[in-house]
């Protein structure tokens, strides 16, 4: 049976990555004996070999020396949050994730794979959003290797693979949302940061599983209009804010006018015909919605 477990990969396109019929590597435990007992046994054999040499058994001693030198190559140490990927004559034989010292077949080749959490901070990319506006966008990706076999054998360089696929996913994400939604319907990059981060994380998970990588978090770290349109978009944002503020002021002013007319009518302070009511409404709206302080005109004559 081959040392590489075979998982079929069907034809199709997934997460922007074209897949073809083939096999994918799957991590499995490697053969490894506890290193400390084996090392104690090795020291005992060294002492025995020295005794044989003193006893004049030179041929046997030389053979044992070569055997002991060959056996010592089989010792290796696994640091915390690291893994050793073992291959024997070009064939994958397993991965050792347990921390400590172990002994295995001296003929195996051992490669370190870090399982620690890493950050990838993408460059600021200049892309077009859903509305076609040029924007600058960047993201921070938190990831780690969860399948050392895929990370080692299925991609050329898993760290470079993460960098390229992260930038590709970020470009694709930016084209799916507008920078800002001025109609207050739908989602936007600026207004829905959590939803955008979840969408980016899902796409990265799909893309990076081919390299045995798990995405722990993905979030935008920079978002801005490109310099050539930043001024015009700032004016548009300011205009939208002014319109929204004026609409709220007018709504509040209308409510205050209605309250004033109702109080005057209910308490019978003064009787106003329709023309005077219209004039009063006009004056109150001017006072309440004006951006500057108004100067009242006192009428010392009759009401009419």
């Amino acid at each position: 049976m081959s040392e590489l477990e075979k998982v079929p990969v069907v034809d199709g396109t997934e997460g922007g990555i074209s897949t073809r019929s083939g096999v994918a590597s799957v991590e499995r435990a490697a053969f490894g004996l506890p290193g400390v007992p084996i090392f104690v046994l090795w020291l005992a054999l060294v002492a025995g070999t020295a005794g044989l040499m003193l006893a004049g058994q030179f041929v046997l001693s030389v053979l044992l020396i070569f055997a002991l030198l060959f056996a010592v190559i089989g010792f290796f140490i696994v640091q915390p949050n690291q893994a050793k990927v073992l291959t024997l004559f070009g064939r994958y034989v397993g991965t050792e994730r347990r921390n400590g010292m172990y002994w295995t077949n001296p003929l195996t080749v051992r490669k370190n794979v870090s399982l620690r959490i890493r950050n990838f901070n993408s460059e600021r990319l200049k892309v077009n959003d859903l509305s076609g506006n040029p924007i600058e966008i960047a993201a921070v990706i938190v990831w780690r290797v969860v399948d050392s076999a895929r990370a080692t054998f299925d991609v050329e360089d898993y760290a470079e693979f993460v960098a390229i696929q992260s930038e590709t996913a970020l470009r694709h994400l930016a084209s799916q949302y507008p920078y800002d939604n001025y109609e207050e319907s739908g989602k936007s990059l600026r207004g829905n940061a959590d939803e955008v981060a979840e969408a980016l994380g899902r796409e990265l998970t799909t893309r990076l599983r081919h390299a045995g990588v798990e995405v722990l978090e993905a979030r935008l770290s920079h978002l801005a209009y490109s310099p050539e349109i930043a001024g015009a978009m700032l004016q548009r944002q300011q205009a939208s804010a002014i319109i929204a503020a004026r609409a709220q002021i007018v709504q509040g002013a209308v409510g205050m006018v209605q309250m004033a007319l109702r109080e005057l009518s209910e308490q019978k302070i003064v009787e106003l015909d329709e023309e005077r009511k219209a004039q009063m409404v006009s004056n109150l709206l001017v006072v309440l919605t004006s951006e500057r302080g108004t100067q009242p005109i006192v009428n010392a004559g009759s009401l009419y």
Side-chain angles (χ1 to χ4, degrees):
M1 180 178 179
S2 175
E3 283 75 9
L4 271 177
E5 296 185 26
K6 306 299 184 180
V7 176
V9 179
V10 297
D11 291 333
T13 303
E14 184 175 356
I17 301 177
S18 177
T19 58
R20 298 181 178 179
S21 299
V23 295
S25 306
V26 177
E27 180 182 308
R28 63 187 182 91
F31 168 76
L33 297 176
V36 175
I38 301 299
F39 184 70
V40 173
L41 177 60
W42 183 85
L43 290 177
L45 291 175
V46 169
T49 302
L52 289 175
M53 184 172 292
L54 292 176
Q57 303 291 331
F58 295 105
V59 177
L60 182 58
S61 299
V62 170
L63 294 177
L64 286 175
I65 288 173
F66 280 109
L68 290 172
L69 291 176
F70 178 72
V72 79
I73 302 174
F75 290 102
F76 64 95
I77 297 176
V78 181
Q79 301 291 342
N81 280 327
Q82 283 194 343
K84 291 279 189 180
V85 178
L86 279 63
T87 57
L88 179 63
F89 303 127
R91 302 168 64 186
Y92 173 62
V93 295
T95 299
E96 184 58 71
R97 285 174 170 260
R98 298 173 296 174
N99 306 144
M101 184 171 68
Y102 296 92
W103 185 88
T104 189
N105 188 342
L107 295 176
T108 57
V109 177
R110 286 142 254 165
K111 180 179 180 181
N112 287 325
V113 176
S114 176
L115 305 179
R116 296 184 176 98
I117 297 175
R118 308 188 192 186
N119 284 324
F120 170 71
N121 191 6
S122 71
E123 299 290 337
R124 293 185 180 182
L125 306 177
K126 185 176 180 180
V127 297
N128 293 331
D129 66 357
L130 183 62
S131 303
N133 299 317
I135 63 174
E136 293 180 349
I137 190 171
V140 173
I141 314 300
V142 183
W143 61 279
R144 65 180 177 185
V145 174
V146 292
D147 192 317
S148 61
R150 285 193 172 192
T152 303
F153 304 115
D154 290 3
V155 293
E156 187 69 26
D157 186 331
Y158 62 87
E160 182 181 0
F161 186 83
V162 170
I164 294 176
Q165 291 302 322
S166 296
E167 292 187 359
T168 303
L170 191 57
R171 289 181 181 276
H172 181 259
L173 176 79
S175 66
Q176 302 301 308
Y177 298 91
Y179 176 90
D180 209 344
N181 201 331
Y182 299 98
E183 299 177 355
E184 298 183 357
S185 60
K187 298 180 180 180
S188 65
L189 295 172
R190 188 178 70 89
N192 303 90
D194 292 337
E195 291 82 353
V196 170
E198 290 179 2
L200 179 60
R202 288 194 300 269
E203 182 164 354
L204 284 172
T205 297
T206 302
R207 289 174 176 269
L208 298 181
R209 71 177 184 85
H210 300 279
V213 170
E214 177 188 16
V215 178
L216 301 177
E217 184 181 5
R219 189 166 296 275
L220 298 184
S221 60
H222 175 77
L223 181 64
Y225 282 113
S226 293
E228 58 266 26
I229 67 166
M233 289 303 175
L234 178 60
Q235 293 180 354
R236 181 175 181 177
Q237 290 176 349
Q238 292 173 342
S240 299
I242 292 173
I243 291 173
R246 300 300 295 177
Q248 187 173 1
I249 291 173
V250 171
Q251 183 179 4
V254 171
M256 295 176 68
V257 170
Q258 289 177 344
M259 181 179 65
L261 293 176
R262 184 173 64 252
E263 292 293 328
L264 290 173
S265 176
E266 291 177 354
Q267 298 183 20
K268 298 181 179 180
I269 297 175
V270 63
E271 296 290 339
L272 298 175
D273 58 18
E274 296 300 323
E275 181 181 354
R276 294 303 177 183
K277 286 183 179 180
Q279 185 177 359
M280 181 180 178
V281 169
S282 176
N283 292 336
L284 286 175
L285 287 177
V286 170
V287 171
L288 294 173
T289 60
S290 176
E291 294 183 359
R292 299 180 179 179
T294 57
Q295 299 294 329
I297 298 177
V298 179
N299 185 4
S302 65
L303 181 62
Y304 299 98

